[in-house]
Amino acid sequence: MQNPFGNGDNGDNNEGPNGIPVPPNYATVVKEGNGDIRIGKVGFSYTTFLFSFLVPIFRGDWYNFLCMIGVNLGIVLGLYSIHFSSMQTFSTVTSVLQFVLSFVWGYLYNLMYFRHLFNRGFKPATQRSKDLLTKSGYLKTKKD
């Protein structure tokens, strides 16, 4: 199949289902035994930045969904324990904090997603995916 991404791979990234090419910053992992395939982006998650909790819900990633809810709930409860002089100050602090949290989740979610998949028995499907995951720090290397 022709590579629609034009990154000069000459079809070397045809690791999707039925040989479909994947973008250069996406990795494919497969679960040994049942052959379940997951394809995910490596790097900043714009969808998590914009839609926060909806991303793990749509991916069926309940573990990371509960982690995100727990952290956000802890921060919100901590914020409510602080006495602010006015409601406007509280609203401003809340808005800034929500933006910062969205930015942090955008950076961390894909890493959390892949690490959870690895804990569930998934392995990189190809050498290209393994190299990409290792280079980005998503896949821990074993020291000899």
Side-chain angles (χ1 to χ4, degrees):
M1 173 178 254
Q2 182 180 359
N3 182 357
F5 303 108
N7 56 358
D9 281 347
N10 297 326
D12 291 343
N13 67 342
N14 296 342
E15 53 190 56
N18 299 323
I20 297 174
V22 295
N25 59 339
Y26 279 65
T28 305
V29 293
V30 64
K31 187 168 188 173
E32 295 183 11
N34 65 359
D36 189 16
I37 297 175
R38 301 287 172 99
I39 301 171
K41 183 179 180 209
V42 175
F44 187 80
S45 174
Y46 291 101
T47 53
T48 305
F49 175 70
L50 296 174
F51 304 113
S52 69
F53 301 117
L54 294 177
V55 176
I57 290 172
F58 289 140
R59 286 186 180 181
D61 187 15
W62 301 111
Y63 176 80
N64 286 324
F65 170 73
L66 292 174
C67 288
M68 290 170 73
I69 289 289
V71 168
N72 278 19
L73 187 62
I75 291 173
V76 166
L77 290 176
L79 188 62
Y80 278 120
S81 69
I82 300 172
H83 177 71
F84 290 96
S85 59
S86 70
M87 193 61 168
Q88 183 178 7
T89 306
F90 176 76
S91 297
T92 303
V93 169
T94 305
S95 298
V96 169
L97 190 60
Q98 185 59 44
F99 178 77
V100 169
L101 279 174
S102 294
F103 202 71
V104 167
W105 288 130
Y107 271 106
L108 291 180
Y109 179 70
N110 285 337
L111 172 67
M112 292 169 38
Y113 178 66
F114 274 109
R115 292 266 174 100
H116 185 64
L117 288 177
F118 296 146
N119 289 337
R120 290 179 44 208
F122 282 81
K123 305 283 183 213
T126 63
Q127 187 62 39
R128 187 193 74 80
S129 289
K130 184 177 181 180
D131 293 342
L132 177 64
L133 291 166
T134 303
K135 182 180 86 170
S136 300
Y138 284 33
L139 183 63
K140 296 177 184 177
T141 57
K142 295 178 182 173
K143 296 181 180 179
D144 295 326

